[in-house]
Amino acid sequence: LILDEIFGTDHFVNEIIWQRKFSQAWASAQFGVTNDTIFYYSKTNRRTFNALYSKDDENTQQYIRERFRYDDGDGRKYMKSPLVNPMYRPNLIYVFHEVQPPKNGWLYSKERMEELYKNNELCMPDSPNARIYRKIFADEYKGQVIQNIWTDIPIVNPMAIERIDYPTQKPEALIERIILSSSNPGDLIFDCFM
């Protein structure tokens, strides 16, 4: 309510759930509290938001294990991504290295396809009527876009080097994510709790 009063209800952006631990160590007469809630507000309608990516959560790790399973023999894992345009694009309908185009056209221009071909980023089929796929390499994969439930940043454990025994100390990784997603280099950051 105080944040609504200060910033205005129209400047509320997100509620972020930070799952700081996975379970409580004791039984009690209530559900265990394993998360904190972060309210993201903006001072004006003009705000900074930088999408961030993560490879650290278990779902993304599973995705990487399942999808990045191809290898050209060089040890570099990749997944195949279709190059079919979802919309009908007559300007992107062309034969590429004797391979017939999809019904709606390719995803990229002929020049871009040639660039990908020269960089060995395309899986070329044996048949002219089969599909071409783009190689997405695991070592270049940024991860999944981070959403509003953060499960990949643990609390500062008692033995951590960053631990200074401040009663409500937050992990540096959590502070870093907040700063990187909501500001740009050179912006002024104010920690009102000091």
Side-chain angles (χ1 to χ4, degrees), residues 96-110:
F96 185 77
H97 289 259
E98 300 180 11
V99 178
Q100 295 300 312
K103 184 179 176 182
N104 286 343
W106 299 110
L107 197 55
Y108 302 119
S109 68
K110 193 166 189 176

Side-chain angles (χ1 to χ4, degrees), residues 14-22 34-38 40 49-50 52 54 57 145-154 173-182:
N14 272 115
E15 175 185 20
I16 299 163
I17 303 300
W18 170 45
Q19 185 174 354
R20 51 189 165 79
K21 55 186 173 178
F22 289 98
T34 60
N35 72 283
D36 281 354
T37 301
I38 301 165
Y40 175 14
F49 179 74
N50 302 307
L52 300 177
S54 175
D57 67 281
V145 176
I146 295 170
Q147 305 297 319
N148 73 321
I149 299 178
W150 299 352
T151 61
D152 59 335
I153 301 175
L174 179 69
I175 303 304
E176 179 182 47
R177 180 172 292 173
I178 293 169
I179 290 171
L180 290 175
S181 66
S182 60

Side-chain angles (χ1 to χ4, degrees), residues 77-142:
K77 297 284 188 186
Y78 65 88
M79 73 174 180
K80 294 180 180 180
S81 180
L83 293 172
V84 177
N85 207 305
M87 305 287 287
Y88 178 68
R89 297 287 303 273
N91 62 318
L92 296 177
I93 296 175
Y94 54 87
V95 176
F96 185 77
H97 289 259
E98 300 180 11
V99 178
Q100 295 300 312
K103 184 179 176 182
N104 286 343
W106 299 110
L107 197 55
Y108 302 119
S109 68
K110 193 166 189 176
E111 295 77 25
R112 178 71 176 129
M113 290 282 278
E114 283 294 346
E115 183 183 317
L116 294 169
Y117 180 79
K118 287 177 187 171
N119 291 333
N120 191 30
E121 294 180 55
L122 296 180
C123 296
M124 298 299 292
D126 295 331
S127 165
N129 294 316
R131 290 286 161 252
I132 299 173
Y133 291 90
R134 182 172 181 187
K135 297 176 185 176
I136 307 294
F137 293 99
D139 59 358
E140 295 175 355
Y141 178 64
K142 294 189 290 186

